[in-house]
Amino acid sequence: MRVAEVLGEDVGVLWPEMIRRAVKVGSDRELLGIYPRRADLPRSVFRDAIGRASSRLWFGGYTSYFLWLEMPSVSATLEAKASAGADLRFLLGDPDSPVTAERERIEATPLTLSTRIAMTRAELSKVGTVIPVRFSARHLAMSVWVFDEEAIVATHIGAGLGQDSVTLHLRRGQDGGAFDRYVEHFESLWTDGKPAPQH
């Protein structure tokens, strides 16, 4: 801005691409970042989004078990959020679904989806408050995690594991935008999901 002032030019004339990136006005304005793999997403993105959220923490990963591997204190954080009145939900894959069995065949990894789902449920049982868990097999190809007005969406590709999924980081910026569409998707899956049996 100082250079533009000295030259007597508009910043947008001198650096139009920089302005376009800094002030998004198109349909991509909700997109904070896109990563070729969920493994490329900095760990701080999940950690910070969970830390900032106060009203809604919805976990719509088929297993979401990586949370405990990457964030050792996540159980204490979840308990604190629930105690403060946040809406916590875990939508997990149905371990007994034929969809899960077929995906396990495709992934062909010793740490199966069913095992990862069981690991997440075991970790949730250690949290000092009951967190609602539902099963669904409809979200196998896409995971959606919602933290207040932020969302992380992983779109699964081919035979790769969840960590290999193209991943979007979104922040709500408009009515009916991509963020709202993914929230609607989660809500639909949650409504149709079946409550997981109590551990």
Side-chain angles (χ1 to χ4, degrees), residues 68 92 95-96 114-127 129-133 135 195-199:
W68 283 268
L92 300 174
D96 300 321
S114 301
T115 301
R116 286 177 268 159
I117 292 165
M119 291 168 68
T120 294
R121 295 201 62 214
E123 292 297 336
L124 287 172
S125 71
K126 299 174 190 173
V127 176
T129 187
V130 175
I131 297 175
V133 177
F135 287 153
Q198 292 293 318
H199 258 350

Side-chain angles (χ1 to χ4, degrees), residues 22 31 36 40 48-49 53-54 58 80 98 115 119 121 126 130 140 148 159 174 177-178 188:
L31 183 63
D40 298 328
D48 293 349
S54 60
W58 294 354
T115 301
M119 291 168 68
R121 295 201 62 214
K126 299 174 190 173
V130 175
L140 180 66
D148 287 353
Q174 62 184 331
S188 169

Side-chain angles (χ1 to χ4, degrees), residues 40-95:
D40 298 328
L41 183 78
R43 289 183 179 184
S44 61
V45 173
F46 260 105
R47 186 185 63 239
D48 293 349
I50 290 170
R52 282 189 295 268
S54 60
S55 61
R56 170 172 58 186
L57 294 96
W58 294 354
F59 298 84
Y62 210 77
T63 72
S64 289
Y65 92 108
F66 69 91
L67 293 168
W68 283 268
L69 298 177
E70 297 180 5
M71 290 177 273
S73 63
V74 72
S75 291
T77 301
L78 295 178
E79 186 170 339
K81 298 288 182 180
S83 297
D87 177 11
L88 270 71
R89 303 178 190 184
F90 270 78
L91 182 69
L92 300 174
D94 184 342

Side-chain angles (χ1 to χ4, degrees), residues 24 30-49 52 66 70 143 145 150-157 161-171 182:
K24 290 185 177 183
E30 294 187 318
L31 183 63
L32 299 178
I34 183 167
Y35 303 86
R37 292 168 188 79
R38 195 193 71 220
D40 298 328
L41 183 78
R43 289 183 179 184
S44 61
V45 173
F46 260 105
R47 186 185 63 239
D48 293 349
R52 282 189 295 268
F66 69 91
E70 297 180 5
S143 298
W145 298 274
E150 284 184 73
I152 299 168
V153 179
T155 57
H156 301 196
I157 292 177
L161 302 177
Q163 65 191 15
D164 299 320
S165 304
V166 174
T167 301
L168 312 174
H169 182 200
L170 304 169
R171 179 173 294 130
Y182 284 121

Side-chain angles (χ1 to χ4, degrees), residues 20 23-31 173-174:
R20 190 196 69 74
V23 184
K24 290 185 177 183
V25 294
S27 60
D28 67 341
R29 70 176 168 263
E30 294 187 318
L31 183 63
Q174 62 184 331

